Amino acid sequence: MEKSLSIKLEKIKNGSYKCQDFIIADAKDGDMGGGIFVVGEDKSAVGKPRPFTEYIEEMRQVTKSCLVDIMLMSASSAEQLVGEGIFNDSPVTPAVRLNDATDIWSQRFSSYGNKNPKNFRSANLNVVKDFVDLGLFSITFSNDLNSDLNFMSQFNDFVSEIRDIEMNYFLEIFNPKIDIGIHSDEIPKYVNDCIVKTLAGLTTPERPLFLKMPFNGPAAMEELCNYNPSKLIVGILGGSKGTTRDTFELIHQGEKYGARVALFGRKIQFSEAPLKTVELMRAVVSQEILPIDAVKSYHSYLATNGIRPILPLDDDLKITEKPLIN
C-alpha cells in the first residue's frame, strides 16, 4: 500500500496542497529520552508507572486507525511492530528517532537539561535501515561555539551516512532549554536563522524531508515558512501536554501560518482518549470544526463514554501556552 506521507509530501511540493493533506505524526519515541515514567502513570495505582506493553498497544491502535501518517518510535519499538507486520498493509509510515542528544535525557534526579546539550546516537543506522526507511535527527543550538560546532559536525557525518544507505530523514530543531545570552523574545529569530544556516549547505539529496520544531508564534512561523516554501516543509512539535484547547489551537494555528506537519507526543499520549484526540486534530486542521468547538465535542465524547476528564470543561477551554496567545 502506498504511504499517505509520500502522497501528501508530493502535493505539498508541487503546490496542490489542501488542508486535508496536512501530515500528522504520533511521536511515541519517549523511551529514547530515558526514564520508566515517560510512558505514563498507571491509572489504577498512583505513583506507579504503567507497563510498556500498554505504550506499545497504543502504537498499534493509533496505527490501525489510519488517522496519522507517521508513527515515530524508538528503534526497539519499531523493530517489534514492524516485525509484527502492522505497517505492511497500512498507509502509515514507521519512523525511528536516530539520535538522542542529552537535552532529551530525562532520567529521574538527572540534571542534563541544565547544561549545554551534546549529541549522542543510540540507534545504529546500519541496523535500523533493515526495517524502516525514515528517521529523525535532532539538533539544539545554544549559542555556544563548541557545542554548536560539535552538533553541526556530527550532523554532517550523519547526512553523509544516511545518504549512503539511501534512507530518508526529517530534522528536529529544539529551542534552547538554558540561558544562552539571547532575550527570550528573540529566541524564535535565532532558531529560524539557525535552521536556514543548517540547510543552506545541503544539496537536494541531502536535505531532510521536513522539519520538526516548536511553534514560536505566528510571526516566526510565517517568516520561516515563507522563506523557501518549495524546498522547506515545516512541521511543529507538540511540547507539553497543556490543555485540550492548546492541542487543537496549536494544530490550527500551525497550519494557518504555514506548517504542513504536526508531530505530537504528550498531547496525544496523555489525553484521556488518544484516538478521539487525533480524530479531532484531523477535523480541526481540515477546517471541519473550530478548536473551541472541538474541545466541547471532546468533552461530550468523554461524558458519553464514561471517561473522567483531567480538567473540567471551562479549564480545558483555556489557552495556556504563550505562543498561541495572540
Side-chain angles (χ1 to χ4, degrees), residues 244-254 284 291-292 319 324:
T244 303
R245 177 69 181 279
D246 289 335
T247 299
F248 298 144
E249 196 68 38
L250 178 55
I251 200 167
H252 168 72
Q253 290 194 31
V284 168
I292 192 168
I319 299 175
L324 299 173

Side-chain angles (χ1 to χ4, degrees), residues 245 248-249 284 289-298 313 317:
R245 177 69 181 279
F248 298 144
E249 196 68 38
V284 168
I289 189 171
L290 293 172
I292 192 168
D293 295 320
V295 179
K296 295 175 182 178
S297 176
Y298 180 72
L313 177 59
L317 282 166

Side-chain angles (χ1 to χ4, degrees), residues 14-75:
N14 67 26
S16 60
Y17 167 83
K18 294 181 174 58
C19 57
Q20 291 79 10
D21 301 316
F22 192 89
I23 296 163
I24 297 179
D26 186 2
K28 285 286 195 292
D29 58 332
D31 49 324
M32 293 289 286
I36 287 176
F37 275 92
V38 294
V39 299
E41 188 174 75
D42 191 325
K43 293 179 180 178
S44 63
V46 177
K48 179 182 178 182
R50 66 175 180 159
F52 192 80
T53 51
E54 292 185 12
Y55 195 51
I56 284 281
E57 180 58 26
E58 283 183 3
M59 298 181 211
R60 294 190 188 96
Q61 294 305 316
V62 174
T63 300
K64 290 175 182 177
S65 76
C66 298
L67 289 168
V68 301
D69 304 288
I70 304 168
M71 178 60 67
L72 175 63
M73 301 163 281
S74 64

Side-chain angles (χ1 to χ4, degrees), residues 212-256:
K212 177 186 179 185
M213 63 176 295
F215 180 77
N216 286 323
M221 183 58 55
E222 275 192 320
E223 178 185 70
L224 186 63
C225 292
N226 291 336
Y227 175 72
N228 193 0
S230 65
K231 289 189 175 182
L232 180 59
I233 299 173
V234 179
I236 50 173
L237 57 84
S240 63
K241 168 63 179 76
T243 63
T244 303
R245 177 69 181 279
D246 289 335
T247 299
F248 298 144
E249 196 68 38
L250 178 55
I251 200 167
H252 168 72
Q253 290 194 31
E255 197 278 338
K256 178 180 179 180

Side-chain angles (χ1 to χ4, degrees), residues 35-320:
I36 287 176
F37 275 92
V38 294
V39 299
E41 188 174 75
D42 191 325
K43 293 179 180 178
S44 63
V46 177
K48 179 182 178 182
R50 66 175 180 159
F52 192 80
T53 51
E54 292 185 12
Y55 195 51
I56 284 281
E57 180 58 26
E58 283 183 3
M59 298 181 211
R60 294 190 188 96
Q61 294 305 316
V62 174
T63 300
K64 290 175 182 177
S65 76
C66 298
L67 289 168
V68 301
D69 304 288
I70 304 168
M71 178 60 67
L72 175 63
M73 301 163 281
S74 64
S76 56
S77 296
E79 178 189 32
Q80 177 178 338
L81 295 185
V82 171
E84 292 176 9
I86 69 168
F87 297 100
N88 290 352
D89 298 310
S90 169
V92 180
T93 297
V96 163
R97 175 175 282 278
L98 295 176
N99 75 324
D100 43 311
T102 59
D103 55 336
I104 71 164
W105 292 8
S106 56
Q107 296 95 316
R108 283 172 286 181
F109 311 111
S110 64
S111 59
Y112 304 113
N114 299 327
K115 302 175 178 66
N116 280 333
K118 295 182 182 297
N119 185 40
F120 181 74
R121 277 200 264 169
S122 291
N124 186 316
L125 277 177
N126 289 314
V127 175
V128 299
K129 70 179 178 60
D130 291 336
F131 51 89
V132 294
D133 60 9
L134 179 63
L136 164 65
F137 191 93
S138 179
I139 301 176
T140 302
F141 292 96
S142 54
N143 198 30
D144 177 88
L145 182 58
N146 289 332
S147 177
D148 294 348
L149 182 61
N150 177 63
F151 254 117
M152 287 301 296
S153 296
Q154 294 196 36
F155 174 60
N156 287 345
D157 292 341
F158 165 81
V159 169
S160 178
E161 290 177 47
I162 202 165
R163 185 183 179 188
D164 286 345
I165 62 174
E166 299 182 339
M167 185 175 172
N168 292 313
Y169 77 100
F170 55 102
L171 180 63
E172 178 176 55
I173 306 290
F174 282 124
N175 286 351
K177 291 183 177 180
I178 60 174
D179 182 1
I180 63 169
I182 298 175
H183 192 279
S184 60
D185 291 342
E186 309 301 339
I187 290 294
K189 298 174 184 177
Y190 169 74
V191 171
N192 281 358
D193 285 352
C194 287
I195 290 170
V196 170
K197 180 261 177 294
T198 300
L199 298 180
L202 302 181
T203 60
T204 299
E206 299 171 308
R207 293 175 71 90
L209 294 183
F210 54 87
L211 293 179
K212 177 186 179 185
M213 63 176 295
F215 180 77
N216 286 323
M221 183 58 55
E222 275 192 320
E223 178 185 70
L224 186 63
C225 292
N226 291 336
Y227 175 72
N228 193 0
S230 65
K231 289 189 175 182
L232 180 59
I233 299 173
V234 179
I236 50 173
L237 57 84
S240 63
K241 168 63 179 76
T243 63
T244 303
R245 177 69 181 279
D246 289 335
T247 299
F248 298 144
E249 196 68 38
L250 178 55
I251 200 167
H252 168 72
Q253 290 194 31
E255 197 278 338
K256 178 180 179 180
Y257 295 109
R260 296 294 176 256
V261 188
L263 306 102
F264 289 3
R266 283 165 286 187
K267 280 181 164 48
I268 296 173
Q269 178 189 339
F270 294 131
S271 65
E272 301 92 337
L275 285 178
K276 189 64 178 180
T277 297
V278 180
E279 178 186 318
L280 285 167
M281 283 169 54
R282 181 67 70 190
V284 168
V285 81
S286 298
Q287 300 179 12
E288 299 168 16
I289 189 171
L290 293 172
I292 192 168
D293 295 320
V295 179
K296 295 175 182 178
S297 176
Y298 180 72
H299 274 258
S300 177
Y301 172 86
L302 295 180
T304 299
N305 288 273
I307 302 172
R308 182 178 180 179
I310 298 170
L311 295 173
L313 177 59
D314 287 348
D315 291 338
D316 220 13
L317 282 166
K318 295 176 182 177
I319 299 175
T320 65

